[in-house]
Structure formats: C-alpha cells, structure tokens
Amino acid sequence: MKGVVFIGESRTELREFPDPQPGPRDVILEIKASGMCGTDLKGYREPFIPGVVRGGIKRSMEPVIAEHEPCGIVVELGSAVTGREARIGQRVIDFHYDGCGVCRHCMAGWRQMCADGAVVFGSVAHGAHAPYMKVPVESLVTLPDELSFETGAAIACGTGTAFGALQRLSLHGDETIAVFGQGPVGLSVTQLAHAMGARVIALDISPERRQLAAELGADVVLDPMADDPVQAIRDLTHGEGAEKTLDASSSAQARAQAVRATRAWGACCYVGEGGEVTLEVSPDLLRRQVTLIGSWTFSNVGLADCARFVADRGVDVDRLFTHRWKLDQAEEAYQLFDQQKTGKGVFLPAS
C-alpha cells in the first residue's frame, strides 16, 4: 500500500509500504478519513532527524506514515482479540496513543502520559494517511452511527482536544468565552462552546478564519491586529473580561492577552502547543485570582464522551472541513494547510 510521509523541510512523499499485519492484540483498520492536525506542521516544516525527542515524544528512526486522526472500519482481528472488544465491520475512531497499559496514567485512559513513554501514531508508529492502519484493540472508540467518518477523524484529535479543554474549564452556558486562534482546534472550541450555550468571542488574524468562526457559532469575531483585544473583550463584557478564555494559537502575545482578558476569579486555558509566554504574575494572575490551566488532548473515555456529545447535540462537525484530499494530493494539501488560513483538511484514502 502507499502512505504519506513527512520528510522534513515542508516536503511530503507518497511511499510504498507493506500491508499491515495484526499482532495478537491488534486490529487492522480500513481508513475512511484521516484528518490534518496543526501539530503536524512542526514535523512537516522541520528537518527530519531520526530518533530526536520533541515535546517529550521520540521520533522514529525512519519516516513513518503520517497523521494521528484515524477513523474507519475494522477489517481484520488479531488472534487474541475477542468479539466483545471488536468486530469486523465496526465503525471506529482510534485513540492515537499507546503505552505500557499498567502505569497509573495508562490505567486512567491517559496513555499519552505513560510513565514508560508513549507511542504516538503518525510520529513513532505508522499513522492514518494510508488505506490501512494497525492499532491496538484497546485504542478503539466506537463511532456513533449518526456521525460521518470525517467527523470521527476530527474528534480523534482536534475536536476531541477542544472538548477536553472545555471540560477542564468547566464552561457554563451563561458564560462568555474568548477563543484566541481559529485554526482547526480553535474553530472546534468555538463550535462546541456555542453548542454548550456559551457566548463566544472568536479572535484570529486571518479574515478567512474569522468568517469560518462566525459561521460556526461565534457571537463576536475580532481581529487582534486591528484593536487592543483585551480592551475589546472588556468592552463586550461590561468592563470585567470574559469568565473563560482559551488560547489555541501558540502565540506568546495571544497567550498573555488571553490571561489579561480573563475577569477576576475566571479561568484561562492553554491548548496551543510549543512556544513561550511572559506574564506579570501578581497583576495578571495572583491579585485577580485567575486560574491558568494547561490542557493536552483527552483520555480515551473523554474521546468517547466527545463523540457522544456531538451526536446527541447534532453538532455539524463536518462544517469544519474546507478541503478534502486524496493521498496523491498530499504535497498540495500541506502547502495550503501550512498557510494557516483555511479550515480543517481531511484525507479520504479510498477516494
């Protein structure tokens, strides 16, 4: 089979790989949809250095099949997989991490925090930009019948990450949330927060992404380059600031603004990966009793909860997708995605 790999310095290749064979506790998925995640841009842009550790995750020695937003159908079972765990034809989302399975993080469903080191599909092991993918049976989450495979791929990382962050923020329907950055994760935050009944202020420097945010439920969209965003948010909230804020941009300036736009006793969540931020601890945090939270993806239970929420509330996650691609269009797809002006992209390997 052919799979897309990142070879570094903003280049991709479509390479030939053997069809995957399941181990005793594995299943083989036929990939129906494989999303594009903003965190992959780092591996796409930078030189490929075998075995290097980035963000606590060790890279493979050779480029592996890219991407970690898999959704598809179970087509083959390992010899030790029982019918209660998986069945042929089952529609599933894959929780894209593996670990030792016995440490306290793994036992709680947080395999990405495994004490022995996590395996991340698409980074250390083969990912989803291919027709088939081998995954541990424990990583499967059933895709509700009401949801498309594209929606499942979004939930597998970007939308699931947004849902996990909103859960950590304990967002209430009578609150205002300001969302800095309207890439795929920020747009998902906007869409889910709207579905939860909150008032959403969406900020992004891209007019295309601000328009998408408005279409997905933002009550107000702001260009942070046009005016002081902190003052603008305070003006929209009777001078107090938003009860909840979230940064999905990874911009140092936006991160500081998100904290300063949070009202007294409110909470700010950082979701965007990498980078730095400088804060004045006393005026920005301590003397306003502001809670600062870091949120990294979700547990396997949280992934299932997100899928159920989207299905029960009828959230049209497919609207996040502005582009659909075939595997042989990977070069064009990632060049466009790297401009960070579009919504979410998805690969449909069978098309």
Side-chain angles (χ1 to χ4, degrees), residues 119-286:
V119 172
V120 182
F121 303 125
S123 178
V124 179
H126 289 313
H129 277 354
Y132 297 97
M133 180 179 175
K134 179 180 76 172
V135 301
V137 67
E138 294 86 2
S139 68
L140 300 182
V141 172
T142 297
L143 175 68
D145 290 340
E146 304 96 311
L147 302 182
S148 70
F149 290 113
E150 289 95 332
T151 286
I155 292 170
C157 187
T159 295
T161 294
F163 185 81
L166 291 173
Q167 293 294 98
R168 295 210 62 198
L169 275 171
S170 299
L171 181 68
H172 297 156
D174 61 347
E175 293 179 326
T176 294
I177 181 169
V179 185
F180 289 73
Q182 294 296 306
V185 172
L187 287 169
S188 292
V189 173
T190 291
Q191 188 175 46
L192 293 172
H194 173 73
M196 293 173 182
R199 180 190 184 208
V200 182
I201 301 171
L203 302 93
D204 202 282
I205 61 175
S206 163
E208 294 90 348
R209 286 184 164 178
R210 291 198 301 274
Q211 179 61 38
L212 282 169
E215 293 171 4
L216 291 172
D219 297 275
V220 180
V221 293
L222 297 175
D223 178 357
M225 303 298 290
D227 297 294
D228 176 2
V230 175
Q231 187 59 51
I233 291 167
R234 288 177 179 166
D235 290 344
L236 289 164
T237 54
H238 311 286
E240 295 192 68
E243 286 93 348
K244 305 289 167 62
T245 62
L246 182 145
D247 176 70
S249 72
S250 300
S251 159
Q253 184 178 24
R255 283 174 170 161
Q257 291 167 343
V259 170
R260 291 163 186 156
T262 307
R263 70 173 57 188
W265 300 102
C268 174
C269 182
Y270 286 172
V271 176
E273 290 270 13
E276 298 178 349
V277 64
T278 299
L279 298 170
E280 295 185 62
V281 173
S282 293
D284 289 342
L285 294 170
L286 302 188

Side-chain angles (χ1 to χ4, degrees), residues 49-67:
I49 305 174
V52 71
V53 176
R54 288 213 172 98
I57 303 298
K58 186 177 181 180
R59 278 190 176 179
S60 59
M61 295 306 294
E62 294 289 337
V64 296
I65 297 171
E67 248 310 315

